[in-house]
Amino acid sequence: QKEVEQDPGPLSVPEGAIVSLNCTYSNSAFQYFMWYRQYSRKGPELLMYTYSSGNKEDGRFTAQVDKSSKYISLFIRDSQPSDSATYLCAMSAIGANNLFFGTGTRLTVIP
Amino acid sequence: DVKVTQSSRYLVKRTGEKVFLECVQDMDHENMFWYRQDPGLGLRLIYFSYDVKMKEKGDIPEGYSVSREKKERFSLILESASTNQTSMYLCASSGPENQPQHFGDGTRLSIL
């Protein structure tokens, strides 16, 4: 079993839709959670960075962590065609430098 | 903003060649990482370094080596390139423990 599981999609939504992207994990030691956005032919770009459980909001993006269920989510409100990208979740344990990544979900927002 | 620069965006090499991929970061980060990214497999860690001249193997170090002579620079070396090393290679850097990693734009390497 992989430490981090992420549905690869692809996911297609109409412009303006609310998008929900999710990851599950098995290691209860994970405390730091990240979402990266990767456009085609570019490197991953840090989108959200959270510690432990709870919600964090940044503009149209909300990251949610449920440690009891070992489940994290990224919500995108009012999705735009420019949000079309692959979204990667990543996480790490306290004191660790290494990240564990999901395989990424490919999102297309249709105008 | 953190800037991680990879020397080449696209590279084509022959089987058996020695290949060098270079990465430079401008944020005085202690940690640097090399990954490869393949469809369906996600990012896999090849090597990382937490200090100058220090290195640690990642999940798939076979066929690769690294060099970190200066804090800002981390090089990935393919000792004798093989076709199964055709991939997207990503370099990243981060500050002390649990700081997020910042990535370069990658080198798409083709081994013919």
Side-chain angles (χ1 to χ4, degrees):
Chain A
Q1 183 192 5
K2 288 183 181 177
E3 298 225 42
V4 181
E5 298 278 359
Q6 184 175 9
D7 187 338
L11 182 62
S12 291
V13 301
E15 183 174 353
I18 296 174
V19 176
S20 172
L21 304 167
N22 311 295
C23 288
T24 59
Y25 63 95
S26 56
N27 189 343
S28 57
F30 290 150
Q31 296 280 352
Y32 294 86
F33 304 92
M34 284 136 272
W35 285 96
Y36 288 85
R37 177 176 63 196
Q38 185 175 20
Y39 290 116
S40 182
R41 291 183 289 276
K42 301 281 277 183
E45 166 196 13
L46 182 67
L47 206 54
M48 301 288 276
Y49 175 58
T50 57
Y51 169 71
S52 196
S53 283
N55 292 1
K56 182 176 181 178
E57 191 172 318
D58 184 1
R60 296 185 294 110
F61 298 90
T62 299
Q64 195 171 77
V65 175
D66 181 351
K67 291 189 68 203
S68 62
S69 302
K70 297 191 180 70
Y71 189 88
I72 68 170
S73 300
L74 177 71
F75 297 97
I76 307 174
R77 289 185 300 282
D78 187 26
S79 56
Q80 302 294 309
S82 58
D83 296 326
S84 297
T86 296
Y87 290 81
L88 299 155
C89 64
M91 48 201 79
S92 68
I94 288 179
N97 292 312
N98 288 9
L99 293 180
F100 291 83
F101 286 88
T103 51
T105 300
R106 188 169 180 177
L107 171 69
T108 301
V109 180
I110 302 164
Chain B
D1 274 355
V2 177
K3 184 77 172 172
V4 179
T5 303
Q6 295 185 230
S7 54
S8 304
R9 293 295 307 275
Y10 301 94
L11 210 51
V12 179
K13 295 291 182 181
R14 297 280 180 192
T15 303
E17 280 192 70
K18 191 169 187 175
V19 181
F20 294 85
L21 303 183
E22 306 286 342
C23 175
V24 177
Q25 51 96 2
D26 67 355
M27 284 302 291
D28 202 35
H29 280 165
E30 290 85 353
N31 304 307
M32 295 188 75
F33 306 82
W34 275 107
Y35 296 88
R36 62 179 284 177
Q37 186 177 33
D38 300 287
L41 297 177
L43 277 83
R44 291 181 291 166
L45 182 64
I46 304 171
Y47 268 97
F48 69 98
S49 168
Y50 53 88
D51 202 352
V52 175
K53 296 192 186 295
M54 306 302 286
K55 61 184 178 184
E56 294 280 347
K57 292 180 180 179
D59 300 318
I60 51 162
E62 296 78 19
Y64 303 94
S65 62
V66 290
S67 172
R68 193 164 181 203
E69 296 297 318
K70 293 185 177 181
K71 191 174 186 180
E72 68 271 18
R73 187 179 297 269
F74 193 34
S75 302
L76 179 69
I77 303 151
L78 286 66
E79 297 291 343
S80 177
S82 64
T83 54
N84 63 11
Q85 292 178 309
T86 291
S87 186
M88 169 75 126
Y89 289 87
L90 289 162
C91 175
S93 72
S94 71
E97 335 176 317
N98 296 122
Q99 292 300 303
Q101 293 180 19
H102 299 269
F103 287 84
D105 276 338
T107 296
R108 190 165 293 277
L109 175 64
S110 295
I111 307 295
L112 304 178

